[in-house]
């Protein structure tokens, strides 16, 4: 999964999970470690990414389909997971949730910090996330674009 905060990644990933994929979630792992605000620090981010990578590799080795529920906001972060998958014979497909800015901001404004998929994000931080997001391109590898045009 790939998209800015509020794009609907977790909802979409849960749909894939219902179809048999194992969902591993950055926000879920961070929440389990006690992190209730974003962004988390660099050390914590490395721990969470390491956990996601370990779970991904374990699932792939067991022959399970996996959906990684994370923003993958930069090409570098997506490339890191591609490099991890290459020796396993897996070419990841990026599902990019292309969500209108107004929807993103509305969704994030409604968050209440009630759980890992509801982390409160200030408007200022939300705008920084949106503006800093590096949209994936087909040159990176397999890409599926999901156009999100209405609130969930």
């Amino acid at each position: 999964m790939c998209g800015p905060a509020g794009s609907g990644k977790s909802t979409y990933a849960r749909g894939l999970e219902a179809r048999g994929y194992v969902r591993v979630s950055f926000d879920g792992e961070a929440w389990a470690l006690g992190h209730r605000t974003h962004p988390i620090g660099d050390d914590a981010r490395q721990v969470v990414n390491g956990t996601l990578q370990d779970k991904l590799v374990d699932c792939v080795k067991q022959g399970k389909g996996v959906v990684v529920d994370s923003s993958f906001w930069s090409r570098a972060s997506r490339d890191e997971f591609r490099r991890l998958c290459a020796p396993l014979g897996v070419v990841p497909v990026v599902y990019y949730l292309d969500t209108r800015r107004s929807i993103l901001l509305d969704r994030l404004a409604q968050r209440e910090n009630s759980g890992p998929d509801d982390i409160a994000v200030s408007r200022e931080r939300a705008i920084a996330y949106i503006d800093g997001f590096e949209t994936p391109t087909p040159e990176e590898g397999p890409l599926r674009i999901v156009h999100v045009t209405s609130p969930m």
Side-chain angles (χ1 to χ4, degrees), residues 1 4 6-19 23 25 27 67-70 97 99 107 111 116-118 146 148 150-152:
M1 299 308 314
S7 61
K9 296 179 303 294
S10 295
T11 299
Y12 198 91
R14 277 196 285 291
L16 293 174
E17 185 177 34
R19 294 182 7 215
R23 182 173 76 100
S25 165
D27 289 339
V67 57
V68 180
D69 182 0
S70 183
L97 275 76
T99 308
R107 287 179 180 172
R111 289 191 173 181
D117 301 332
D118 190 45
V146 178
V148 180
S150 64
M152 289 183 187

Side-chain angles (χ1 to χ4, degrees), residues 93-144:
V93 176
V94 171
Y95 281 75
Y96 166 54
L97 275 76
D98 182 15
T99 308
R100 289 191 325 236
R101 183 183 192 92
S102 61
I103 292 174
L104 294 170
L105 292 172
D106 287 347
R107 287 179 180 172
L108 294 173
Q110 294 175 34
R111 289 191 173 181
E112 299 177 347
N113 245 39
S114 65
D117 301 332
D118 190 45
I119 301 289
V121 178
S122 70
R123 182 171 176 81
E124 178 181 284
R125 172 65 58 190
I127 290 169
Y129 283 165
I130 295 165
D131 291 346
F133 186 81
E134 296 176 9
T135 302
T137 65
E139 291 77 32
E140 293 181 35
L143 175 64
R144 304 290 182 270

